[in-house]
Amino acid sequence: MWVLILLSILLLHGDQTLASDPDPIQDFCIPNPKFGSILPCKNSSEASTDDFVFSGLKASGNFTETGLATIPVNPTIFPGINTLGMSFVRADLKVGGINPPHFHPRATEIAYVVQGSVYSGFVDSNNRVFSRVIEQGEVMVFPKGLLHFQMNVGEKPATIFACLNSQNPGLQKISSAIFGSGINEELLEKAFGLNHKQIGSMRRRFDPKKVT
């Protein structure tokens, strides 16, 4: 009887149960490199202080044609955050550079402006835009799964430090998802009022093999 009740609860609320990273069942879990991407824990006695320190954010990454450079950090390159339900990223924007509209299906993001003036915002499920320019020392939060964006509107390069509440937040770029994923061309023409030539141009531009 109790088994049936428990199964019913799990079926009814399973989507909520799996909606975020599970709580860890130990103090920490340093991945054992012997097992590749599976990330099992190595013996806690083998952990060292270096496992909990990351030094890879001192300089910007490589810039894309949109003027954006990112250094995403997850347990693969920073073992100490494995199973802690978090990841983070350093983002740099050239003057006029943009972080194009995108969303993280599995995480809320909080972005702190280290330097610069950044037009930031997100769009809710009612297509309402919440946006403003955030300055050095200010923070903006982007709720999980909602489209958001950033643009450097200052006269100097901008740097942003963002933290996400999942070690695997996912990243879906809107332009690449629409024009670089192989969606039926006729559907795209009807959805966006574009012709065959325009669709072809957009597909070449946002081909995921060429866009970083």
Side-chain angles (χ1 to χ4, degrees):
M1 180 66 178
W2 286 107
V3 174
L4 291 176
I5 293 175
L6 179 59
L7 286 174
S8 298
I9 293 174
L10 289 173
L11 288 172
L12 287 172
H13 300 285
D15 58 333
Q16 298 176 17
T17 304
L18 300 176
S20 60
D21 290 1
D23 289 334
I25 56 174
Q26 66 282 315
D27 289 340
F28 52 81
C29 172
I30 305 302
N32 190 329
K34 296 180 181 178
F35 295 92
S37 60
I38 301 176
L39 301 183
C41 308
K42 64 183 181 182
N43 192 300
S44 61
S45 64
E46 299 176 7
S48 69
T49 301
D50 287 344
D51 289 322
F52 302 97
V53 178
F54 184 74
S55 303
L57 299 180
K58 296 179 180 179
S60 64
N62 298 319
F63 285 90
T64 66
E65 62 181 14
T66 65
L68 170 70
T70 60
I71 303 176
V73 181
N74 55 50
T76 302
I77 61 174
F78 186 13
I81 62 174
N82 188 42
T83 74
L84 299 186
M86 65 176 297
S87 56
F88 51 94
V89 60
R90 169 179 172 157
D92 291 88
L93 290 164
K94 293 182 177 179
V95 175
I98 66 168
N99 188 0
H102 64 282
F103 66 93
H104 306 287
R106 295 181 289 276
T108 291
E109 175 181 348
I110 186 165
Y112 169 76
V113 177
V114 178
Q115 63 178 11
S117 300
V118 183
Y119 171 66
S120 304
F122 66 90
V123 182
D124 72 5
S125 56
N126 292 314
N127 286 332
R128 183 181 176 188
V129 178
F130 296 82
S131 63
R132 57 164 286 183
V133 175
I134 54 175
E135 308 281 353
Q136 178 176 332
E138 293 186 310
V139 172
M140 187 167 190
V141 64
F142 304 127
K144 181 171 69 174
L146 294 187
L147 179 150
H148 53 281
F149 47 83
Q150 295 164 317
M151 179 171 65
N152 183 0
V153 295
E155 299 179 352
K156 298 179 180 179
T159 300
I160 302 161
F161 181 88
C163 187
L164 302 101
N165 65 340
S166 171
Q167 71 176 49
N168 184 23
L171 171 63
Q172 190 77 58
K173 298 179 180 180
I174 305 304
S175 53
S176 296
I178 295 174
F179 297 106
S181 61
I183 294 176
N184 181 276
E185 185 171 310
E186 181 182 357
L187 185 150
L188 294 178
E189 291 176 3
K190 293 179 177 179
F192 296 99
L194 302 175
N195 58 39
H196 172 77
K197 184 177 180 180
Q198 292 170 321
I199 293 293
S201 176
M202 296 295 281
R203 279 186 159 169
R204 287 190 296 274
R205 179 177 180 183
F206 296 109
D207 183 341
K209 299 183 182 66
K210 300 178 181 178
V211 178
T212 57

